[in-house]
Amino acid sequence: MVVDNRTSFILNRDPKEWILLLQEVLGSVCVRNVHSQTRKRTSNSQTHRFLEVPSVYAEYTYIADIDIFITESVLDKRRLKQMATFNLPYSNIIRPGKARLTGVMLVRTRNFFTPAYKKAQDTAITGPVPDEMVLYDIVSRSGHGLPPATNMSDPLVVYRPTHGLHLSLNRGPGKPMCQWGLAAWCGFLAVRQVGDMLCAGSSGVIITRIFDMVIKQERGNMTHKGGTCS
């Protein structure tokens, strides 16, 4: 786990409870600071994940948004099939009509974080550009290759699961995107660790705020239109 300030993160009451929950599920948790050089290169914290390299190499590494609550295994058969079909060391898709790779991806760690990839990281564009554009730039120059961006009727070309629920305060009524609907929340609330999380200090407050947005959104039959959830 990579954070801005390891000491502050561990000493803070709420994250400490989170670490105990993670240890219960995973057995052990490694927490380290984001590298100082990464911070210097860009002030966009969403881009940091694409400029870092794992400290511990597992067979696979899952890279995603920090506010996605994982509720299922990321070692999904269709993700592995996607890698094999497109002959890539990672599972991801290109945003339709854009030079962007989405920010949710599974990679074969040693095959992905190659010397060529690390060199591409060191010279990546890091100005005021979207994080997904930075990822596209790095991968395209690493020699890994890119997934196909055509034949959108092919399920593998558009396959991009989040393996959980996106708990974002930047979604909902009046926001650029809508929250996930009640159907998604039913599966989320069925996960055992969610109950523990609701009792973990401010975590429960945040989830309650998001759920209130979902209810308001459902009652108003709101959808994404004209760039706003309304």
Side-chain angles (χ1 to χ4, degrees), residues 127-214:
V129 296
D131 56 319
E132 293 183 351
M133 191 177 293
V134 174
L135 177 62
Y136 183 97
D137 173 64
I138 296 172
V139 173
S140 62
R141 291 188 296 104
S142 70
H144 286 332
L146 294 166
T150 56
N151 189 18
M152 303 307 285
S153 61
D154 183 342
L156 287 180
V157 173
V158 296
Y159 188 65
R160 178 196 172 266
T162 57
H163 303 296
L165 190 65
H166 203 154
L167 300 174
S168 175
L169 291 171
N170 296 320
R171 296 171 179 243
K175 306 289 180 69
M177 293 180 286
C178 289
Q179 293 283 352
W180 290 97
L182 284 175
W185 277 79
C186 288
F188 170 70
L189 294 172
V191 177
R192 181 175 63 84
Q193 283 78 13
V194 170
D196 295 330
M197 185 180 68
L198 287 170
C199 297
S202 61
S203 302
V205 176
I206 293 173
I207 292 177
T208 301
R209 284 178 59 192
I210 295 173
F211 193 68
D212 284 344
M213 294 182 199
V214 173

